[in-house]
Amino acid sequence: MKIGFIGLGIMGKPMAKNLLKAGYELTVFDIVKENVDDVVAAGAKAGTSAKDVSAVSDVVITMLPNSPHVKAVVCGAGGVLEGAKPGLILVDMSSIAPLASVEVEKICAEKGVKMIDAPVSGGEPKAIDGTLAIMAGGDTTVVESVKPILSHMGSSVVYCGKIGAGNTTKLANQIVVAIHIAAVAEAYTLAKKAGVDPVLVFEAIKGGLAGSTVMNAKSPMIFDGNFKPGFKIDLHIKDLGNALDTGHGVGSPLPLTASVMEMLQTLHADGCGQDDHSALAKYYAKVSGTKIGK
Ligand code: NAD
């Protein structure tokens, strides 16, 4: 089984390396040469384009920023579909708009290429460990056929429904994470202003109902003032934009998502778009005049 991997950023790089460790033959491509070199040093072959990668692959995995990137890499000039043999399976693991997954799958099907959407949750640490949570959408037979490959990148693969359902699930995940980080930052800011050490607040409440994976992962970063990504503010803006568009499209108002979106937009305008999303704490520092951590 020959695998192609396109998009070797924070997530794609460790995911590709886990497939190499599992013994798969891998051909990789990214527009950033250093990213390709890094994965080639771990045992992959370098492709010169998405078309070049798909021409030598049975399965192509994409891990790209957003819908326009996936559309261009799959359907554009020099893209996956130009090199694909009929029967190729495309596993798009990027977080994109569900409707974009539907559109791209339709174009793939016309060329005899089977596509599923399989976005992930867990961030860079779980990408490195191979323990991502994977949410899949598309034809069940195709999803089942690639589960052995996915098992080297994630510890769970949940089938969510037809094409696009994986990305709808991912949007739900991103809504919960964004609102949750904002809630944590808001609560710690209140504590600090009221004279209680936020670190002690975390220690006191993390084992109770308010405690969570998000709180455990992001509190130390907020306390240290360490906003190295991780998951970038700009990527979360992209996800909440897709969530708001999708919500408006299906008639589901998203008032909390809209509020946190404006906080993220404020941070972007302040030049913090490349910070980790835990930098939502900086928004609260700006409006309260008090920093939670260092
Ligand atoms: P990233 O920006 O680090 O990586 C994206 C990669 O795609 C880059 O290396 C870029 O050069 C490459 N790329 C862009 N356009 C390309 C093209 N036309 N051809 C080839 N390569 C191209 O982003 P990331 O953090 O790795 O995230 C990738 C996806 O995974 C996003 O959709 C993101 O929302 C999602 N995601 C990220 C995290 C996280 O914690 N970083 C967690 C879960 C899901």
Side-chain angles (χ1 to χ4, degrees):
M1 167 84 65
K2 292 184 177 175
I3 301 180
F5 206 113
I6 303 169
L8 305 166
I10 291 176
M11 297 296 284
K13 209 182 287 182
M15 290 162 72
K17 286 182 183 172
N18 281 332
L19 293 177
L20 287 168
K21 271 188 221 145
Y24 288 105
E25 200 178 312
L26 218 63
T27 308
V28 299
F29 177 66
D30 193 292
I31 46 174
V32 177
K33 188 178 173 299
E34 297 82 64
N35 292 353
V36 174
D37 292 346
D38 188 297
V39 183
V40 166
K45 288 185 191 147
T48 53
S49 66
K51 175 184 173 180
D52 186 37
V53 166
S54 72
V56 295
S57 303
D58 305 304
V59 172
V60 170
I61 297 171
T62 41
M63 193 55 170
L64 297 159
N66 197 7
S67 316
H69 307 84
V70 172
K71 284 182 186 174
V73 164
V74 176
C75 313
V80 170
L81 290 180
E82 282 190 2
K85 293 167 271 191
L88 179 102
I89 296 177
L90 172 64
V91 181
D92 180 34
M93 303 190 76
S94 328
S95 304
I96 69 171
L99 273 180
S101 300
V102 173
E103 274 174 44
V104 176
E105 192 271 343
K106 194 162 173 273
I107 297 167
C108 285
E110 284 161 8
K111 306 264 176 184
V113 168
K114 302 170 194 169
M115 174 189 166
I116 63 165
D117 61 320
V120 307
S121 173
E124 189 184 20
K126 286 181 182 269
I128 292 169
D129 292 351
T131 57
L132 291 163
I134 301 174
M135 37 215 106
D139 185 292
T140 42
T141 324
V142 182
V143 173
E144 283 304 318
S145 72
V146 295
K147 269 192 178 170
I149 298 172
L150 298 179
S151 73
H152 296 288
M153 296 181 282
S155 51
S156 70
V157 182
V158 174
Y159 179 72
C160 300
K162 60 186 193 234
I163 185 75
N167 271 308
T168 301
T169 307
K170 175 67 185 177
L171 292 181
N173 181 84
Q174 292 307 84
I175 288 172
V176 173
V177 170
I179 293 170
H180 205 139
I181 297 173
V184 167
E186 188 166 304
Y188 290 158
T189 304
L190 164 76
K192 185 83 180 266
K193 288 265 300 192
V196 179
D197 183 352
V199 176
L200 298 179
V201 172
F202 174 51
E203 287 304 321
I205 71 176
K206 69 181 183 190
L209 187 57
S212 68
T213 311
V214 168
M215 185 182 277
N216 289 340
K218 301 300 173 184
S219 295
M221 296 178 78
I222 292 172
F223 298 148
D224 289 347
N226 164 24
F227 301 120
K228 180 176 174 287
F231 190 76
K232 294 170 196 156
I233 295 269
D234 282 347
L235 279 180
H236 221 138
I237 286 176
K238 175 264 297 184
D239 287 335
L240 296 193
N242 286 338
L244 290 165
D245 284 347
T246 305
H248 297 158
V250 299
S252 173
L254 304 173
L256 293 176
T257 304
S259 285
V260 180
M261 175 63 140
E262 292 310 310
M263 297 179 197
L264 293 171
Q265 293 285 0
T266 305
L267 291 165
H268 174 85
D270 277 351
C272 303
Q274 297 299 302
D275 280 359
D276 187 74
H277 51 177
S278 54
L280 272 163
K282 287 189 185 174
Y283 172 84
Y284 283 94
K286 189 181 164 99
V287 295
S288 71
T290 304
K291 261 167 97 176
I292 297 165
K294 287 179 190 158

